[in-house]
Structure formats: structure tokens, C-alpha cells
């Protein structure tokens, strides 16, 4: 026989464990794996740094425009990857699971 206080404490611990296990299951079920998300971020950073070095060394004014365009393109790619990682979240572009 358990007292009501012990029962509530145990129920709280069980709920906390359930929530943590649910988070783990959701992390494993992601469409775009977490390590690839960071690899894409690293590749974008390396590209932007190399492009900025090339744009700085190039005396042409067109290189600045091309550099700005490519940076915007890569940052857009990063946002797309971030959206793909959690397609069922609460962003405006995510699937409305509550309506289904």
C-alpha cells in the first residue's frame, strides 16, 4: 500500500521518464538525421568562408554581388534543411497534424 504522496511522486517520475523516452523516439524518427544537419551547416560555413576570401582577393565589383547572392542561397538552403528536420513541428510551413 502506498501513500498518496508517494503515489504522486512516483507518477511524476513515470511521467518524466515517459516524456524523455518520447523525445528520444521523436529524435530517432526525424526525416533528416541530426548529424547530416550539422554536416550541411559545416559545409555551408566552409563554402561561405572560401567565397569571402575569393571575393576579397578579386578586384572585380561583380564578385561582391555574386558572393552576396551565393550567401543568401546557402542560408536559404540551411533554412530548408532546418524545416526538413522537423516536418511535424509548430512552424507555419509544417504539416497540421492536429487537423488530421
Amino acid at each position: 500500500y502506498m501513500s498518496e504522496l508517494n503515489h504522486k511522486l512516483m507518477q511524476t517520475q513515470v511521467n518524466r521518464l515517459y516524456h524523455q523516452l518520447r523525445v528520444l523516439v521523436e529524435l530517432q524518427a526525424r526525416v533528416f538525421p541530426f548529424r547530416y544537419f550539422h554536416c550541411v551547416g559545416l559545409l555551408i560555413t566552409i563554402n561561405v568562408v572560401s567565397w569571402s576570401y575569393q571575393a576579397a582577393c578579386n578586384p572585380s565589383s561583380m564578385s561582391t554581388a555574386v558572393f552576396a547572392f551565393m550567401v543568401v542561397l546557402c542560408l536559404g538552403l540551411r533554412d530548408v534543411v532546418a524545416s526538413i528536420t522537423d516536418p511535424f513541428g509548430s512552424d507555419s510551413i509544417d504539416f497540421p497534424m492536429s487537423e488530421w
Side-chain angles (χ1 to χ4, degrees):
Y1 179 73
M2 289 177 33
S3 69
E4 188 173 332
L5 178 64
N6 287 338
H7 184 269
K8 286 187 185 243
L9 288 174
M10 189 172 85
Q11 184 67 31
T12 304
Q13 292 295 328
V14 168
N15 286 341
R16 189 176 299 152
L17 177 65
Y18 173 75
H19 176 70
Q20 290 173 351
L21 289 174
R22 192 169 154 193
V23 168
L24 284 175
V25 167
E26 289 175 4
L27 283 174
Q28 289 177 345
R30 290 192 178 218
V31 176
F32 198 73
F34 192 66
R35 62 180 169 263
Y36 295 141
F37 176 76
H38 287 293
C39 286
V40 169
L42 179 65
L43 287 174
I44 289 172
T45 303
I46 291 170
N47 280 336
V48 169
V49 167
S50 67
W51 291 336
S52 65
Y53 178 74
Q54 290 174 352
C57 292
N58 195 345
S60 172
S61 61
M62 190 63 179
S63 65
T64 305
V66 170
F67 170 70
F69 174 75
M70 294 305 290
V71 167
V72 168
L73 185 75
C74 281
L75 292 178
L77 176 67
R78 188 183 68 178
D79 287 343
V80 168
V81 169
S83 297
I84 288 174
T85 25
D86 189 18
F88 304 111
S90 59
D91 296 336
S92 62
I93 61 168
D94 291 335
F95 296 116
M97 293 303 292
S98 62
E99 294 176 10
W100 289 26

